[in-house]
Amino acid sequence: GGTNSYTATVTGITSQGTSELATCVGGGCGAPGQVPGYGGGSGGGGSSNDQGMTGGGLAVAGQGNAGGLGGDRQGNNTGSGGGGGGAGAAGGNGSGGTPGAGGVGRANNFRTGSDIMYAGGGGGYASGGPGTGGTGGGGTGTDGAVNTGGGGGNKALNPNFSQGGSGIVVVRYVIGQSGFTVAGGLTETYTIGSTDYQSHTFLATNVLTITGTGNVDALIISGGGAIGVTGNPEGYAGGGGGGGGMLETNNTSLTTGSYVVVVGGGGTYSGSGGGIDG
């Protein structure tokens, strides 16, 4: 996690406090051989094990769901890895030679006025192939999709270093608030019912500039988690990466000033490849 946000561990999530207006926690890394999935916004999938099923990574309440369990390896050569959790559902459990699917993400309409799915979990791995990534950018044997917070999907024996997808931040406001203007990011205007909105989308870290005082809604999605390497040790099947944390805020009052919008990158596998906070 970031310096002002959270620390994710194998056994749980420990809050450190935050100085930001709102912060989302990066997705948890999938587990390598015989290790539980790592915690995060959504948890990474567990790896296969010789001694029963292996736990999935835990999630941050309100931002995602737990990773799926890794399957028992006995009598199955490589066993099966659990799927990473998604913003909308937990990752699927690995069972026998069948990998766990990534948990589905969650829909949000702040960017265009129409629903877009974000923060799906990556699929786990088994000897028969990769598990299906969760809708919302989760990888099926591939990296999580960029700017969705999707978790990386496990695809093959070591080496396989699928990473998580980067995050995204969308700020929208009701057009016509007196003396209130917003600048920064990619803009769109749309109407829902009889209400006109303008959105400002950030695909990378940048600055949101506010003039006057008004209310905004925000979608904040952190980077998705990387996979757990399969084949280390002895061919154990690794878990899929968890989707990045997903947070929606409504009617937040902002006043004149420049606000740094941090868009987190996807996790890359380096022992514990959690996504970057947003």
Side-chain angles (χ1 to χ4, degrees), residues 9-10 13 27-31 35-47 53-60 64-71 81-87 89-94 100-104 120-124 226 239-243:
T9 70
V10 173
I13 305 297
C29 178
V35 176
Y38 290 82
S42 283
S47 68
M53 300 183 84
T54 307
L58 301 181
V60 174
N65 291 276
L69 305 179
N93 298 334
V104 298

Side-chain angles (χ1 to χ4, degrees), residues 73-161:
R73 184 173 183 258
Q74 295 209 30
N76 185 274
N77 190 21
T78 61
S80 53
N93 298 334
S95 176
T98 303
V104 298
R106 202 168 76 228
N108 175 278
N109 68 357
F110 287 4
R111 184 171 185 180
T112 66
S114 298
D115 281 345
I116 299 171
M117 293 289 286
Y118 297 99
Y125 178 76
S127 56
T132 304
T135 304
T140 301
T142 60
D143 295 342
V146 298
N147 296 124
T148 67
N154 232 311
K155 66 179 178 182
L157 295 176
N158 191 26
N160 169 32
F161 303 113

Side-chain angles (χ1 to χ4, degrees), residues 116-240:
I116 299 171
M117 293 289 286
Y118 297 99
Y125 178 76
S127 56
T132 304
T135 304
T140 301
T142 60
D143 295 342
V146 298
N147 296 124
T148 67
N154 232 311
K155 66 179 178 182
L157 295 176
N158 191 26
N160 169 32
F161 303 113
S162 296
Q163 63 187 37
S166 54
I168 190 170
V169 174
V170 181
V171 176
R172 75 169 184 182
Y173 66 99
V174 176
I175 296 172
Q177 298 182 65
S178 179
F180 183 64
T181 61
V182 180
L186 304 173
T187 62
E188 292 218 30
T189 58
Y190 56 87
T191 301
I192 297 178
S194 59
T195 304
D196 297 325
Y197 291 95
Q198 180 158 307
S199 68
H200 295 254
T201 297
F202 293 83
L203 305 180
T205 299
N206 214 313
V207 176
L208 178 74
T209 303
I210 301 293
T211 302
T213 299
N215 293 328
V216 303
D217 302 328
L219 167 69
I220 305 168
I221 296 176
S222 58
I227 64 145
V229 168
T230 292
N232 182 21
E234 301 175 10
Y236 290 89

